[in-house]
């Protein structure tokens, strides 16, 4: 291989190396974004569970009130 060919190969390899470095940065940013989305989903799921728990407690209270007032069809 002559010097010109070697220089061309070295230049191509450097460009590839730079592209890969840029891709690594992009992948890190994407991973951080995905982690943020997962955290938000967990928060939403937690809020949903709290609301379900509250609704269940309210249903129990309403049933007790209806029973005390003889409003239930038993």
């Amino acid at each position: 291989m002559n010097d010109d060919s070697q220089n061309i190969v070295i230049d191509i390899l450097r460009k590839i190396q730079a592209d890969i470095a840029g891709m690594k940065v992009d992948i890190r940013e994407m991973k951080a974004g995905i982690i943020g989305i997962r955290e938000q989903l967990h928060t939403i799921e937690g809020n949903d569970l709290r609301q379900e728990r509250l609704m269940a407690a309210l249903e129990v209270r309403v049933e007790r009130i209806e029973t005390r007032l003889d409003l239930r069809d038993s």
Side-chain angles (χ1 to χ4, degrees):
M1 214 185 265
N2 62 23
D3 286 341
D4 286 340
S5 296
Q6 286 179 345
N7 288 339
I8 290 173
V9 170
I10 289 173
D11 285 344
I12 290 171
L13 291 174
R14 284 184 180 144
K15 288 179 184 177
I16 291 172
Q17 191 175 26
D19 288 345
I20 290 172
M23 290 171 59
K24 284 182 179 180
V25 170
D26 291 343
I27 289 171
R28 280 189 208 111
E29 290 174 357
M30 289 170 54
K31 284 182 179 180
I34 289 170
I35 289 171
I37 291 170
R38 290 174 69 186
E39 288 172 347
Q40 289 177 351
L41 284 174
H42 287 295
T43 300
I44 291 169
E45 288 174 355
N47 289 341
D48 190 39
L49 289 173
R50 277 190 290 280
Q51 287 179 351
E52 286 181 28
R53 199 176 309 127
L54 177 62
M55 286 297 295
L58 288 174
E59 287 175 1
V60 168
R61 291 179 70 188
V62 168
E63 287 175 6
R64 273 194 229 136
I65 292 169
E66 288 176 342
T67 302
R68 286 181 187 164
L69 296 175
D70 288 330
L71 298 175
R72 293 197 50 102
D73 297 328
S74 339

